[in-house]
Amino acid sequence: MSSELRWHPFLKEWVIVAGKVQERPVLPPREKCPLCYGGIEVPKPYDLLVFENRFPSLTKETSDITPFEDEIYKLRGGQGICEVVLYTMDHDSSVSRMPLEQIEKLVLVWEDRFKDLSSLEFIKYVFIFENRGEIIGVSLHHPHGQIYAFPFIPPIIEKELNSSKEYYDKNNKCLFCSILDKEKGEKDRLVYENKYFTAFMPFFGKYPFELHIYSNRHLGSLSEMTYGEKMYLAEMIGKIAKAYDNVYGFNFSYMMVLHQKPSKGDYPFYHFHIEFYSLHRDKDKIKYLASVESGAGTFINPLAPEDSAKLLRDSIGRLEK
Ligand SMILES: [Zn+2]
Ligand SMILES: [Zn+2]
Ligand SMILES: [Zn+2]
């Protein structure tokens, strides 16, 4: 069954209806892990591997869908590509435990997939992400991430593009570069800096432990980075993943999303960044998204970014000892 896009007439955004997703295995026992070598997806040994999701939210073929449109309702095929990225053969590993060179390879694979999928005529946006931990809704524990190549620009990206364009037109400066300057100036939300990247808990974070990584140089995507920048990005991601796990001493659940420019067109006002969100708000407390977030669209962040930044900085300090 192909995936469908249904237009939400008053929120003005696409909803994906994808029956295939219902068939995904949910938390199979370890010996039945489909992502381990010998499992159903990977008959051969591998290092880092990308394959198409067997239960995709967006399908390559949508010829069985008949598009229709009246003044209110609109439906079309959800043509896109969903890929799975296996980070390592080691079932018990994670970004926080992988050797740096494995994360470096991951960054190079992301760049490759970003370029490749972006070049497809029907793709408008390539979204690279990782869900980690059962509280986030992860159905397989084996270390992996995903890529959704969308036939439209998703609404959060659209909003970021609109705001950064508006700011750029008015101030002749990049909104993200300006945020970076502010955070570097105010310092109390900074978490970690390396040669080419800066990690901080933004002033306006919606989630507890929301962290952003910005490239220090103004650029729009992985494919505009030098080799050196990609290597430092890997170092940064590894450090942040370790720091998260070290905050409370358990595998920290998170969502990690790459925000890059869309696949087609020119976006000189947009700036590459990575956002991490978590639902942990204390050692044994979880922040659930409920009515106010889902029904009113307003987020309540129970943990001030200044406080979570301090927790993460202390965590990095303990790692370095
Ligand atoms: Zn596995
Ligand atoms: Zn910028
Ligand atoms: Zn963003």
Side-chain angles (χ1 to χ4, degrees), residues 160 176 259 270 273 275:
E160 288 193 0
F176 298 92
H259 281 174
Y270 197 61
H273 59 285
E275 300 186 7

Side-chain angles (χ1 to χ4, degrees), residues 82-101:
C82 295
E83 293 184 336
V84 177
V85 185
L86 301 187
Y87 294 172
T88 159
M89 241 175 31
D90 179 0
H91 183 91
D92 296 310
S93 189
S94 65
V95 177
S96 59
R97 291 190 283 273
M98 267 154 48
L100 178 57
E101 62 159 358

